[in-house]
Amino acid sequence: MAEITTSQIGNGTTAYGSDIVVKDLDLDVSNRVKDDTPVLNMCMSKKRKVNSTLPLWTDDIYALPQVQAQVEGATVATSQAESNSRYNLGNYTQIFSTVIAASGTARAVMQAGGDPQAYQEVKQLIQLMFDVELQLVRNDQIGTKYAGQTGTASGLPAGQTGRRMGSLAAFAGSMSFNTTSGSVSGLDTFFNNEDTDSATQISNALRIYANGSYYYAGTFTNQVFSPVLYKQLVTVAEQRYNAKIRTMVAPTRLRTIISDNIVSSNTSVNRRNVERGDTIQTYEGDFNYTYEVYDSWIMDQAGVSNSIYFLNEDVLQWGALRDLGPNNEVFSNADASLDQFIMEGTLIVRNPAGVGMLNNITNTGSLVTALRPAAIVQRTNFGPGDTY
């Protein structure tokens, strides 16, 4: 008798005729959502219910400071009443879905690792969160919100022309660019009609409007990340805004250069691994800030690998029209199950001043020590009839 070894009984992966080993298959799914969807986590922590496909919210607009020296006993007239106009922002809801299907026989047979349909449900629902994060950080033009117009929303798979929400870039209250000429020259502005996406070009101009009427195009050059660039952006963004911007969301490709170069202006840096990812705690001695830096590999996939978001987390919300769950209108198809999971909601940015976007950043080159021209580091400063 020969000694029995795995060469005779197999290892669970060889030909079925001679392999008698029960396959040891682990179908557990590692949950990466908390690490890889930082912006969605920020929004979901302040989730609220919405009741339409175009929810609106009020964006507070404050007048410029004025010199006051009232006369004692002065009379009051209605003509002295301050403007009580308000400015509404809005964003369309977007539908996200995933479909899982299996035949009755496939689910009935005993399988290594358990029910493959249950495994796919967990896996696909995590993937769905990645898709939502992709929309949140993608490089939409300023103020863009898609209403479902056919064929105009770029990047959609064939046959998908549904409503799309505007991303963080669409609601950014301040923007920093770097043109090849170092000035507004060469940076063109287009008027954008959100219903038809028709555009009118305005040459050599940068206009950023809170009502989302403008977006940008031009010739840009990238610069290595340096403290002077983000300090300039944050300083512009926080003008007349009562909340500090202390969160950065950056592409993974820029994580190393940010970690190395941000140190040059700080008294101390602490790196720690927390539940939601690799967080870099940075103390800004000159501004007395503590920054949290989140790296996002999804930004590398979304066309914003040369941009960094600066956020005040308090202004972000998720507006849920339909919470994630199964679509009960989809029934079993004869001897097969067909399950669809749907999530519908939108990004809400309570105040665009809490979102800044630093564009044209790379991870190679010499450290920048000079500020960008003020004309290409601008704050969203216009609403309908008001300046803030």
Side-chain angles (χ1 to χ4, degrees):
M1 296 289 292
E3 179 184 5
I4 299 176
T5 65
T6 54
S7 60
Q8 281 81 41
I9 63 176
N11 58 15
T13 62
T14 54
Y16 76 93
S18 58
D19 195 332
I20 61 173
V21 172
V22 176
K23 292 178 174 62
D24 183 10
L25 180 63
D26 184 359
L27 284 182
D28 288 339
V29 180
S30 60
N31 188 345
R32 294 166 49 91
V33 174
K34 290 184 179 180
D35 294 344
D36 293 333
T37 57
V39 178
L40 181 59
N41 290 337
M42 296 175 198
C43 297
M44 285 294 185
S45 67
K46 298 171 291 294
K47 183 176 71 171
R48 72 177 179 90
K49 179 68 176 176
V50 299
N51 300 307
S52 70
T53 58
L54 180 57
L56 303 176
W57 61 93
T58 300
D59 179 36
D60 294 327
I61 298 175
Y62 298 97
L64 289 169
Q66 298 179 6
V67 175
Q68 290 211 26
Q70 303 293 345
V71 177
E72 290 186 25
T75 59
V76 178
T78 56
S79 60
Q80 296 173 290
E82 294 290 340
S83 171
N84 62 357
S85 63
R86 69 182 191 186
Y87 176 45
N88 293 335
L89 291 171
N91 202 4
Y92 287 104
T93 59
Q94 184 169 334
I95 300 172
F96 300 87
S97 74
T98 186
V99 177
I100 303 101
S103 70
T105 302
R107 301 198 67 181
V109 297
M110 184 176 294
Q111 300 178 53
D115 185 357
Q117 176 126 337
Y119 164 77
Q120 285 298 329
E121 285 181 0
V122 175
K123 183 179 178 182
Q124 294 305 319
L125 293 183
I126 292 175
Q127 177 64 52
L128 195 63
M129 297 301 103
F130 295 160
D131 295 343
V132 178
E133 180 80 0
L134 178 70
Q135 176 60 50
L136 292 174
V137 300
R138 70 188 298 273
N139 195 17
D140 278 333
Q141 301 293 358
I142 299 166
T144 301
K145 51 186 179 184
Y146 296 97
Q149 58 270 35
T150 301
T152 55
S154 61
L156 284 173
Q160 292 190 23
T161 55
R163 291 184 306 274
R164 296 188 76 183
M165 62 183 179
S167 69
L168 278 175
F171 287 92
S174 56
M175 289 277 189
S176 175
F177 304 96
N178 191 47
T179 64
T180 53
S181 61
S183 67
V184 174
S185 177
L187 182 63
D188 296 340
T189 299
F190 292 77
F191 175 82
N192 178 49
N193 185 314
E194 66 185 24
D195 294 322
T196 64
D197 274 358
S198 61
T200 301
Q201 182 177 3
I202 306 172
S203 299
N204 299 328
L206 170 60
R207 301 181 183 182
I208 303 176
Y209 278 65
N211 62 4
S213 295
Y214 290 89
Y215 63 96
Y216 55 87
T219 304
F220 307 97
T221 183
N222 293 327
Q223 295 176 298
V224 68
F225 175 85
S226 68
V228 69
L229 296 180
Y230 77 82
K231 289 178 184 178
Q232 181 187 25
L233 172 67
V234 170
T235 300
V236 171
E238 289 182 348
Q239 295 171 5
R240 301 199 303 281
Y241 180 56
N242 63 359
K244 299 299 183 182
I245 295 176
R246 298 184 176 180
T247 301
M248 296 168 58
V249 181
T252 301
R253 67 185 296 268
L254 298 178
R255 174 171 57 181
T256 299
I257 199 70
I258 290 173
S259 177
D260 289 344
N261 288 353
I262 204 171
V263 179
S264 62
S265 67
N266 299 331
T267 58
S268 64
V269 176
N270 298 313
R271 295 176 178 83
R272 61 193 180 104
N273 191 5
V274 296
E275 183 182 10
R276 49 183 185 172
D278 183 15
T279 301
I280 304 173
Q281 290 284 1
T282 305
Y283 175 69
E284 280 291 314
D286 45 5
F287 287 163
N288 196 26
Y289 284 175
T290 301
Y291 277 98
E292 284 189 305
V293 184
Y294 299 99
D295 61 281
S296 169
W297 64 270
I298 294 179
M299 287 183 68
D300 292 300
Q301 316 298 316
V304 283
S305 58
N306 293 112
S307 300
I308 302 172
Y309 288 111
F310 289 80
L311 308 171
N312 179 287
E313 297 185 22
D314 291 339
V315 306
L316 303 184
Q317 284 184 309
W318 177 258
L321 185 62
R322 286 189 285 175
D323 288 329
L324 178 63
N327 179 6
N328 295 324
E329 300 300 320
V330 176
F331 298 98
S332 296
N333 181 13
D335 187 29
S337 61
L338 186 65
D339 297 332
Q340 180 187 38
F341 287 82
I342 286 182
M343 176 179 181
E344 184 172 4
T346 191
L347 169 67
I348 294 174
V349 180
R350 297 292 308 180
N351 192 324
V355 180
M357 194 170 183
L358 180 61
N359 297 289
N360 310 127
I361 297 298
T362 185
N363 55 7
T364 58
S366 302
L367 193 66
V368 178
T369 58
L371 297 174
R372 290 178 174 178
I376 54 177
V377 184
Q378 291 197 15
R379 176 150 186 243
T380 305
N381 57 355
F382 285 101
D386 289 282
T387 301
Y388 74 110

